Amino acid sequence: EVQLLESGGNLVPPGGSLRLSCAVSGFTFSNYAMTWVRQAPGKGLEWVSAISATSANIYYTDSVKGRFTISRDNSKNTVYLQMNSLRAEDTALYYCTKGCSVSSCYDYWGQGTLVTVSS
Amino acid sequence: QTVVTQEPSLTVSPGGTVTLTCASSTGAVTSGYYPNWFQQKPGQAPRALIHSTSNKYSWTPARFSGSLLGGKAALTVSGVQPEDEAEYYCLLHQGGVVVFGGGTKLTVL
């Protein structure tokens, strides 16, 4: 059974930092890209960042470039999102998803971890 | 920044057919955008329905189908069921940029 378990969400003041983790099981983690997607309260989905299987290719949406860093540890089947200089508009439920391959794309999602940026 | 546009809301009767569309501000959507479709119900994580325009997953009900229609990606639901009431999101890949549409609230009434 495929499982993605996010953790690390919390209440943090503006300008603060947080590191999210996503622990994966049920598929060969080192073979797949991984992605973070967020959803602000009552709003739609927003793609945030992606990392290739070997970490050779990394992508960010414009609004988080220079503030967020995605990384992964294939020995721990875990992907991370380091978030710095947090703003109120970063408040959202952050989902980790399995990335794209020839036969699938974002097919498995975690339940999300809530990040609240507020003083 | 690319904007991906979906109908904000659609209403369909049970047993009916409805088509949701997904347009890109950069022009016609092609298979090279690898359109994806997701269903999200309140309080739940999104569920993948369609990838690469028209490919289904093992869990995707047969009544859901994806296509390209008039320069847009499209999701058609044929024989709508009450449980299909949900928010539907499309996603397009444009080079290194990945963008979700704003979502379509599908009401089954």
Side-chain angles (χ1 to χ4, degrees):
Chain A
E1 181 191 6
V2 173
Q3 291 191 326
L4 293 83
L5 185 61
E6 302 96 336
S7 61
N10 210 334
L11 172 63
V12 60
S17 297
L18 214 50
R19 187 174 89 151
L20 306 183
S21 300
C22 173
V24 171
S25 61
F27 65 90
T28 306
F29 180 75
S30 58
N31 286 351
Y32 292 92
M34 295 295 295
T35 297
W36 287 95
V37 173
R38 67 184 178 184
Q39 187 168 34
K43 302 296 184 183
L45 301 173
E46 181 184 21
W47 179 89
V48 175
S49 181
I51 184 168
S52 63
T54 63
S55 303
N57 296 296
I58 287 175
Y59 307 93
Y60 301 98
T61 191
D62 285 349
S63 62
V64 309
K65 282 180 184 174
R67 300 189 300 123
F68 289 12
T69 302
I70 192 171
S71 63
R72 64 190 293 159
D73 186 337
N74 286 349
S75 69
K76 295 182 178 178
N77 286 3
T78 301
V79 60
Y80 305 98
L81 187 67
Q82 176 66 43
M83 304 186 296
N84 299 330
S85 303
L86 282 162
R87 306 167 179 166
E89 54 265 35
D90 296 318
T91 294
L93 187 62
Y94 283 73
Y95 293 103
C96 136
T97 82
K98 177 170 162 278
C100 295
S101 67
V102 172
S103 59
S104 64
C105 209
Y106 314 111
D107 47 341
Y108 292 101
W109 295 63
Q111 286 304 303
T113 187
L114 182 62
V115 173
T116 303
V117 184
S118 175
S119 53
Chain B
Q1 180 85 350
T2 300
V3 176
V4 176
T5 302
Q6 300 181 242
E7 298 85 0
S9 64
L10 291 170
T11 300
V12 60
S13 299
T17 296
V18 64
T19 297
L20 292 66
T21 67
C22 176
S24 172
S25 62
T26 61
V29 175
T30 66
S31 59
Y33 285 63
Y34 302 98
N36 282 249
W37 290 93
F38 304 88
Q39 177 192 66
Q40 188 179 33
K41 295 182 178 180
Q44 296 183 16
R47 181 175 75 140
L49 292 176
I50 299 286
H51 73 94
S52 301
T53 306
S54 58
N55 294 286
K56 301 180 186 182
Y57 295 100
S58 58
W59 53 80
T60 305
R63 60 184 178 275
F64 289 87
S65 63
S67 64
L68 296 175
L69 202 61
K72 300 178 184 180
L75 177 71
T76 299
V77 189
S78 304
V80 171
Q81 300 298 305
E83 61 265 29
D84 297 334
E85 183 162 295
E87 193 84 24
Y88 291 83
Y89 294 94
C90 69
L91 175 152
L92 300 179
H93 295 84
Q94 301 188 242
V97 179
V98 182
V99 184
F100 280 97
T104 295
K105 168 64 177 169
L106 182 65
T107 301
V108 181
L109 208 55

